[in-house]
Amino acid sequence: MSSTPFNPSGRPYLERRAVVPTLLRRKAKGSRPDLPDLDSLQGDVYYMLPKKFERFLFFVIKDVATFWKDLDTYRPRTTSSAETARRIGMISENSSSVAFVSHGLAFSKAGLRTLGIMDDLQDPHFDAGSMRQEKDILGDKSTWNKVFDDANVHGVFVITAKTAIECQEEEGTVRSIFGASVSTFTSLDGRVRPGDGEHFGWRDGISQPAIKDLVSKVQPGQQIVDPGVIVMGYKGDAVFDNSSRVQRPAFTKDGSFMVFRKLEQDVLGFENYIDTNWSAIPAYYSNSDMLSDEERKELFGARIVGRFKTGAPLAKTPYKDDRSLLHPDKINDFNYKEGIDIDDPTLPPNCPFGAHIRKTAPRNLEPLVHQEYLNASMIIRAGIPYGPEISEAERTAWKPGDEQKVERGLLFVCYQSSIENGFFRQTTKFANNDYFPITDVIPRVHGPDPIIGGPKNSPNINSPVVITGEGEVSFKMVDQQSNKYVVHGFAQKVDTSAMAYEPQYFVTSRGGEYFFVPSINTLKDWCIDPPRKRS
Ligand code: N7H
């Protein structure tokens, strides 16, 4: 299967960005208290640092008093959103000659505790201590990398640059600044692939939520969210909006949560799966219109993701790739009402309900689900691929069923003010929930997300289940610890016409962590008056 058949690099830099910063700086600082302070908000959180290479440097603190001093030395390197917007503007004017090194910094719960910051940040996942505790519920069934499995990472430096050497040099600088206060550094490297796609060959980073007044233009169809969905302390932040709740500590304002996941992709397995199963796509899509074998293969893959590799959305073009849809004014201009035939709603929708982008962001489920609920689930995705390209030798040596010998995948990063509403909801309540998106008052099974979902744990049913037909059912089950459960559900006959192929999974989590991304003002306050002294 050929990869990266598109060339987004041929488009101007700003056209390839889903978030284009407003180029008009606010006149007076503080004149818009309803919007994040761009001089204080770290640059990756919403505008996403410009990058060709990225190094994540995970660290463990050994000497807290020295750490605060070292942090004070390092602090001016952290790149603000205002500076990021300026750099993006300069790159767009002269992409070949402008090179920037940018920095970000975030702390895990273990890191904050080590630094004497004991406050709850009012997020059940971050406050619980570590992503490691949620391995099972996130559906991770494989071995995690030791750095995450130990659940002892205190923080991460995020370094982005135009070259790998610059990232390496910056790591050297960080190590020399924190040499006396940090005991362990572990680095993970990502790089933008030739052609800009992720390893399965799809263009990524097309759909991101728009925060009005922080972007120069809201793209047609782009989901608009309140600033607080991504940045703490503003309208849209579920804690800030609910005055009857215990509020977050003041230092969280202009902060965000960063979720990091190392997601290994079995690219050759995925390609082989498509090569083996594409004939499930019929050759004719109308009485007279026919697809070539190559187009059927492309469509099979597109129905897994919800977009063709180029980015063209299935919701708009359900059979063939259409490059006229790649313009920024069109690429996001859909909401899944497209293609549903109101005279015959039993006809399949343009984009399968189970496609990755429809599972994670169903855009519109009115009247069954409030739009505010879906908007509150939005995240900024700022990940980057890792691992080498597939060599000819690797491709030739590979046989179906082989384990991948060279590791590659996605260093997934996302930002949100609530892990519960953002990453966690998208993973457990959307992607891994067979019934999501809800499309009817009667539950309909759409299966797990074919990209980030996975098979269910096999149930141990200890009483005979008698089903007489479609309708409500309840049965008893026990888990491996002999706890008893009653499961209530709705039995539906399996539509065998839809079972032409068995789903398989090609993304494996190798671990990750939840981090708090403090504002630049907070970093400064902490350095001037370290929290331990205050208590
Ligand atoms: Fe996904 N992929 O290449 O198949 N993702 N994703 N993702 N993802 C998207 O529309 C991919 C992952 C979302 O608003 C595209 O920008 C891969 C996680 C969301 O319409 C492609 C991996 C989570 C969207 C991929 C992976 C999400 C989205 C289309 C892991 C959340 C936007 C490009 C290896 C927990 C949907 C685009 C919208 C889009 C892929 C991971 C969420 C091509 C390979 C872990 C919200």
Side-chain angles (χ1 to χ4, degrees):
M1 193 168 76
S2 63
S3 76
T4 55
F6 59 92
N7 179 21
S9 310
R11 288 189 171 275
Y13 178 66
L14 289 188
E15 274 199 18
R16 284 164 15 229
R17 285 194 135 251
V19 173
V20 176
T22 175
L23 298 176
L24 296 169
R25 286 294 313 277
R26 266 174 254 141
K27 288 193 186 81
K29 202 177 163 190
S31 62
R32 289 287 307 268
D34 55 327
L35 288 178
D37 176 354
L38 297 183
D39 292 309
S40 188
L41 177 68
Q42 291 198 37
D44 208 29
V45 172
Y46 184 58
Y47 287 154
M48 294 165 283
L49 299 172
K51 63 194 174 198
K52 289 282 183 199
F53 288 83
E54 186 160 22
R55 181 161 285 194
F56 297 89
L57 195 54
F58 301 94
F59 61 89
V60 178
I61 300 164
K62 71 170 178 208
D63 179 335
V64 174
T66 314
F67 183 85
W68 288 123
K69 289 191 196 117
D70 294 345
L71 185 61
D72 206 25
T73 310
Y74 168 81
R75 189 169 55 76
R77 288 174 188 272
T78 43
T79 312
S80 70
S81 297
E83 176 59 19
T84 305
R86 197 181 67 82
R87 292 177 181 188
I88 291 168
M90 285 178 71
I91 294 171
S92 76
E93 279 161 20
N94 191 351
S95 64
S96 57
S97 66
V98 184
F100 291 114
V101 171
S102 308
H103 280 255
L105 170 60
F107 295 95
S108 68
K109 181 73 180 174
L112 291 187
R113 280 194 189 126
T114 303
L115 292 170
I117 301 161
M118 310 310 274
D119 316 60
D120 274 351
L121 302 198
Q122 303 306 322
D123 185 278
H125 308 281
F126 184 81
D127 291 334
S130 168
M131 186 188 276
R132 178 67 183 79
Q133 283 167 258
E134 304 196 321
K135 186 173 182 234
D136 288 342
I137 194 165
L138 291 173
D140 290 12
K141 297 195 170 59
S142 300
T143 321
W144 276 21
N145 289 173
K146 191 170 179 326
V147 58
F148 304 116
D149 211 30
D150 289 349
N152 191 36
V153 164
H154 287 168
V156 59
F157 293 101
V158 176
I159 304 167
T160 64
K162 200 173 177 185
T163 64
I165 291 176
E166 283 169 308
C167 284
Q168 213 173 308
E169 284 169 359
E170 288 299 307
E171 168 172 353
T173 310
V174 171
R175 279 176 181 265
S176 68
I177 294 175
F178 290 92
S181 60
V182 161
S183 63
T184 321
F185 285 108
T186 308
S187 65
L188 282 178
D189 283 337
R191 70 182 168 99
V192 173
R193 292 186 60 227
D196 280 4
E198 54 68 54
H199 275 294
F200 289 151
W202 265 258
R203 181 177 162 195
D204 203 354
I206 305 168
S207 22
Q208 305 275 15
I211 298 178
K212 260 203 215 149
D213 297 330
L214 291 191
V215 290
S216 65
K217 184 184 171 196
V218 175
Q219 289 177 350
Q222 200 173 9
Q223 305 291 105
I224 301 173
V225 298
D226 287 323
V229 171
I230 307 298
V231 185
M232 293 175 191
Y234 295 90
K235 182 167 181 282
D237 168 353
V239 178
F240 176 84
D241 285 347
N242 186 347
S243 54
S244 58
R245 277 183 68 165
V246 176
Q247 291 296 299
R248 303 185 210 273
F251 67 73
T252 59
K253 195 174 172 77
D254 291 310
S256 189
F257 286 119
M258 166 187 170
V259 174
F260 182 92
R261 297 269 277 170
K262 186 175 181 221
L263 298 175
E264 185 179 336
Q265 291 173 257
D266 174 5
V267 180
L268 291 169
F270 183 77
E271 291 182 357
N272 178 63
Y273 175 67
I274 294 181
D275 281 344
T276 316
N277 291 293
W278 61 267
S279 60
I281 300 287
Y284 281 91
Y285 60 94
S286 75
N287 286 343
S288 53
D289 295 306
M290 200 180 168
L291 297 171
S292 68
D293 288 355
E294 200 48 44
E295 285 169 335
R296 289 164 76 190
K297 212 180 264 190
E298 278 178 13
L299 181 55
F300 188 89
R303 289 179 68 82
I304 293 175
V305 174
R307 289 187 186 271
F308 286 90
K309 282 186 171 180
T310 56
L314 269 184
K316 281 285 194 185
T317 180
Y319 302 109
K320 287 188 184 192
D321 194 0
D322 176 354
R323 282 160 196 253
S324 75
L325 296 173
L326 305 188
H327 189 275
D329 282 349
K330 296 192 177 158
I331 199 160
N332 272 310
D333 195 12
F334 60 94
N335 70 6
Y336 298 123
K337 280 183 180 161
E338 319 282 347
I340 292 190
D341 183 340
I342 40 173
D343 296 327
D344 185 358
T346 60
L347 285 176
N350 283 1
C351 176
F353 292 109
H356 173 61
I357 66 165
R358 194 165 188 173
K359 288 285 281 191
T360 50
R363 293 186 179 219
N364 174 13
L365 294 174
E366 299 277 12
L368 296 167
V369 177
H370 277 298
Q371 194 59 38
E372 293 82 63
Y373 177 84
L374 292 185
N375 287 355
S377 327
M378 303 291 288
I379 54 177
I380 286 288
R381 292 171 300 121
I384 190 164
Y386 74 95
E389 297 299 302
I390 300 173
S391 67
E392 266 323 299
E394 188 186 352
R395 193 176 282 283
T396 316
W398 189 86
K399 293 183 302 310
D402 275 3
E403 291 266 318
Q404 184 164 251
K405 298 208 172 48
V406 183
E407 199 188 319
R408 57 178 65 80
L410 182 71
L411 301 177
F412 174 85
V413 169
C414 71
Y415 296 99
Q416 61 262 278
S417 67
S418 162
I419 297 171
E420 167 72 14
N421 292 354
F423 166 79
F424 191 79
R425 187 184 284 170
Q426 285 199 11
T427 305
T428 61
K429 303 199 175 125
F430 295 179
N432 277 331
N433 172 359
D434 288 4
Y435 299 89
F436 195 81
I438 299 155
T439 49
D440 201 331
V441 281
I442 296 167
R444 302 273 166 206
V445 175
H446 304 303
D449 184 309
I451 296 288
I452 58 169
K456 298 276 172 298
N457 294 324
S458 24
N460 170 8
I461 298 174
N462 75 340
S463 68
V465 183
V466 181
I467 292 180
T468 51
E470 291 204 334
E472 275 183 55
V473 284
S474 316
F475 50 87
K476 291 179 186 158
M477 294 170 72
V478 287
D479 67 14
Q480 282 164 339
Q481 287 75 42
S482 303
N483 297 309
K484 291 184 178 162
Y485 299 85
V486 178
V487 178
H488 300 290
F490 196 91
Q492 255 183 290
K493 274 202 184 126
V494 172
D495 173 4
T496 43
S497 65
M499 298 298 286
Y501 63 95
E502 279 297 315
Q504 287 174 32
Y505 304 94
F506 301 95
V507 172
T508 306
S509 166
R510 295 295 172 201
E513 191 50 281
Y514 299 134
F515 295 98
F516 167 63
V517 188
S519 71
I520 293 173
N521 287 346
T522 292
L523 286 177
K524 195 170 168 189
D525 290 347
W526 282 346
C527 290
I528 293 169
D529 183 12
R532 265 201 322 179
K533 283 191 204 153
R534 248 180 250 149
S535 57

